[in-house]
């Protein structure tokens, strides 16, 4: 299962919207074949492993997610395993996709195949978090990434914020972007920084095939821009790939992909409507890199599943900008987080936290 988990990780840069799954087929302690999910519309991990194995009669399959039982863009993996004569299948996590949801396991058992569930489940739950959340609640994982100083400031009063953290932290962000399906910012950051939110081959700290897979499948990009203030010449619009989400019927030019969603009470893009749209678009892993206005709105509304903070050993002073627009009158009102990981990245710290509870 550990090998299947590691194989699944190789699919993380290109499998979206499908989950990055790994599969290994074993017989008499010999590996017969192994594989991981190919890009959407192509073979799933089980089929890759079966093709590599040739003859899998009597084999045990280790697969990180329940094999699919429905006809999607590709045929059901359950049928492929049954037809190949597999004797036993070990599954880490049941697929919450309503089209599967235990039916894959039931079909394997009905065909006389032994099925075990749960080995490696904690690791797979973490690796597939975005996909599993989307299947369980309708939209994927929302990660808010912020670069800040030791005193919690994210930009100078003038708006200058490039670069608070060092080169190593920025390279780490490139890797995180590569593992995301969608990058999001607010129009305030587009106006201040003319950001692109792209992957940059020379800064992406991946090697060989993983780098090729990541660069061939970069994350989509999106600006939340209620009134259509994104300038026509903004770098994020170059190439016509980014989506501008508005809360009004505004024309941004024929080459700009614009989506109008409901407005909230302040006339801004309604976050609930936006999140529903993210689910409809089947984004598993959404990463927000925004200024205090949008970051604050997401944190206040409890929309953030994971907070990734890069903290640089610098002090920016008390007129520099805060991380999030939020006001509380008592400590008891302060939202609480649980720190899951602290890692030193070059001269900076990377803190990964999740809302408590
Ligand atoms: N250190 C870091 O990690 C980091 C990262 C990014 C940016 N920054 C810095 O942040 C500064 C920009 O901050 P900012 O607060 O102006 O920009 P922002 O948070 O990126 O964008 C804010 C804008 O998003 C739009 N928006 C659309 N729907 C919204 C909603 N429901 N709730 C809130 N906003 C919504 C609003 O404009 P409309 O009402 O017109 O739609 C709002 O003014 C810059 O100085 C930049 O350098 C720092």
């Amino acid at each position: 299962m550990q090998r299947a988990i590691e194989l699944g990780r190789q699919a993380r840069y290109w499998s979206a919207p499908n989950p990055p799954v790994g599969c290994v087929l074993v017989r008499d302690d010999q590996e017969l074949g192994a594989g991981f999910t190919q890009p959407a519309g192509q073979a799933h991990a089980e089929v890759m492993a079966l093709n590599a194995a040739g003859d899998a009669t009597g084999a045990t399959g280790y697969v990180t997610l329940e094999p699919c039982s429905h006809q999607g863009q590709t045929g059901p993996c359950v049928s492929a395993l049954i037809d190949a004569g597999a004797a036993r299948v070990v599954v880490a996590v049941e697929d919450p996709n309503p089209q599967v949801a235990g039916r894959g396991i039931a079909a394997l058992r009905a065909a006389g195949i032994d099925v075990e569930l749960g080995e490696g489940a904690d690791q797979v739950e973490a690796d597939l978090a975005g996909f599993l959340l989307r299947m369980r609640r309708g939209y994927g994982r929302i990660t808010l990434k912020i670069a800040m100083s030791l005193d919690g400031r994210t930009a100078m009063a003038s708006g200058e914020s490039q670069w608070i953290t060092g080169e190593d932290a920025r390279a780490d962000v490139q890797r995180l972007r590569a593992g995301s399906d969608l990058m999001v910012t607010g129009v305030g950051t587009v106006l201040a920084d003319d950001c692109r939110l792209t992957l940059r081959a020379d800064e992406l700290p991946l090697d060989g095939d993983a780098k090729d897979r990541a660069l061939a499948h970069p994350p989509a990009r999106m600006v939340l821009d209620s009134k259509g203030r994104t300038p026509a010449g903004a770098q994020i619009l170059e190439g016509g790939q980014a989506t501008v989400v508005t809360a009004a019927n505004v024309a941004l030019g024929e080459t700009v992909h614009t989506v109008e969603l409901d407005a909230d009470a302040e006339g801004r893009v309604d976050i609930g409507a936006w999140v529903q749209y993210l689910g409809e678009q089947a984004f598993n892993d959404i990463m927000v890199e925004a200024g205090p206005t949008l970051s604050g709105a997401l944190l206040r509304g409890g929309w953030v599943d994971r907070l990734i903070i890069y903290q640089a050993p610098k002090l920016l002073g008390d007129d520099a900008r805060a991380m999030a627009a939020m006001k509380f009158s008592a400590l008891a009102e302060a939202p609480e987080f649980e720190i899951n990981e602290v890692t030193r990245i070059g001269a900076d710290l990377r803190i990964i936290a999740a809302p408590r509870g």
Side-chain angles (χ1 to χ4, degrees):
M1 183 57 82
Q2 201 56 45
R3 168 131 166 83
I5 289 171
E6 269 143 36
L7 281 162
R9 287 177 183 154
Q10 295 192 43
R12 67 158 67 116
Y13 299 120
W14 74 358
S15 69
N18 292 332
V21 173
C23 177
V24 184
L25 292 162
V26 178
R27 188 174 54 215
D28 301 330
D29 287 336
Q30 298 283 318
E31 179 174 313
L32 303 174
F36 54 84
T37 318
Q38 304 295 294
Q42 297 178 40
H44 291 183
E46 297 89 326
V47 171
M48 293 300 289
L50 287 167
N51 289 345
D55 174 16
T57 318
T60 294
Y62 291 86
V63 54
T64 54
L65 187 69
E66 177 183 8
C68 60
S69 50
H70 62 293
Q71 176 74 42
Q73 280 178 287
T74 60
C77 293
V78 159
S79 311
L81 286 163
I82 295 171
D83 294 347
R88 185 170 158 249
V89 176
V90 183
V91 174
V93 172
E94 186 178 304
D95 187 349
N97 181 345
Q99 291 177 295
V100 186
R103 284 189 208 101
I105 291 172
L108 291 172
R109 285 190 174 137
I113 296 177
D114 263 358
V115 181
E116 273 173 49
L117 180 65
E119 189 179 336
D122 288 351
Q123 276 170 283
V124 174
E125 282 279 342
D127 286 354
L128 269 55
F131 172 81
L132 295 172
L133 268 178
R134 177 164 74 84
M135 288 301 147
R136 288 174 182 149
R137 70 176 186 192
Y139 64 95
R141 173 170 63 175
I142 299 183
T143 297
L144 176 63
K145 172 252 143 183
I146 294 184
M148 62 162 63
S149 59
L150 217 46
D151 54 347
R153 303 289 164 160
T154 55
M156 302 310 289
S158 64
E160 180 190 358
S161 75
Q162 289 169 329
W163 303 104
I164 293 175
T165 49
E167 241 174 63
D168 293 339
R170 298 207 298 276
D172 200 56
V173 171
Q174 284 283 313
R175 194 184 45 77
L176 274 180
R177 285 184 183 178
S180 306
D181 306 345
L182 174 69
M183 297 299 310
V184 180
T185 194
V187 65
T189 298
V190 172
L191 292 171
D193 299 347
D194 198 13
C195 57
R196 288 177 293 168
L197 303 183
T198 46
L199 293 186
R200 295 192 269 282
D202 52 335
E203 291 174 34
L204 183 62
L206 295 174
D207 296 322
D209 290 348
K211 188 163 190 164
D212 292 344
R213 283 194 284 274
L215 291 171
H217 296 263
R221 292 170 293 146
M222 185 179 281
V223 184
L224 296 198
D225 176 11
S226 318
K227 303 165 199 78
R229 294 190 286 143
T230 301
Q235 294 195 81
I236 198 161
L237 298 182
E238 279 171 14
Q241 299 293 317
T243 299
V244 177
V245 174
T246 69
N249 185 2
V250 286
L252 278 161
E254 274 174 24
T255 55
V256 183
H257 180 229
T258 311
V259 172
E260 184 188 339
L261 298 179
D262 289 346
D264 65 12
E266 277 105 61
R268 286 182 161 163
V269 177
D270 181 78
I271 300 293
W274 172 64
V275 154
Q276 189 185 338
Y277 173 72
L278 296 180
E280 287 159 9
Q281 297 300 305
F283 292 117
N284 294 330
D285 263 293
I286 300 119
M287 185 155 98
V288 180
E289 291 188 32
T293 311
L294 182 56
S295 300
L298 294 174
L299 286 164
R300 286 195 309 272
W303 297 104
V304 176
D305 299 303
R306 184 171 68 150
L307 194 55
I308 303 190
I309 290 178
Y310 291 86
Q311 196 165 29
K314 284 177 191 156
L315 300 174
L316 300 188
D318 72 353
D319 62 350
R321 298 202 186 160
M323 159 185 156
M326 305 176 102
K327 294 216 184 325
F328 306 106
S329 49
L331 201 51
E333 295 168 15
E336 288 190 37
F337 288 78
E338 193 171 336
I339 293 182
N340 296 322
E341 198 186 299
V342 180
T343 313
R344 198 176 166 134
I345 311 270
D348 304 317
L349 284 186
R350 184 187 64 203
I351 301 167
I352 303 184
R356 189 166 285 237

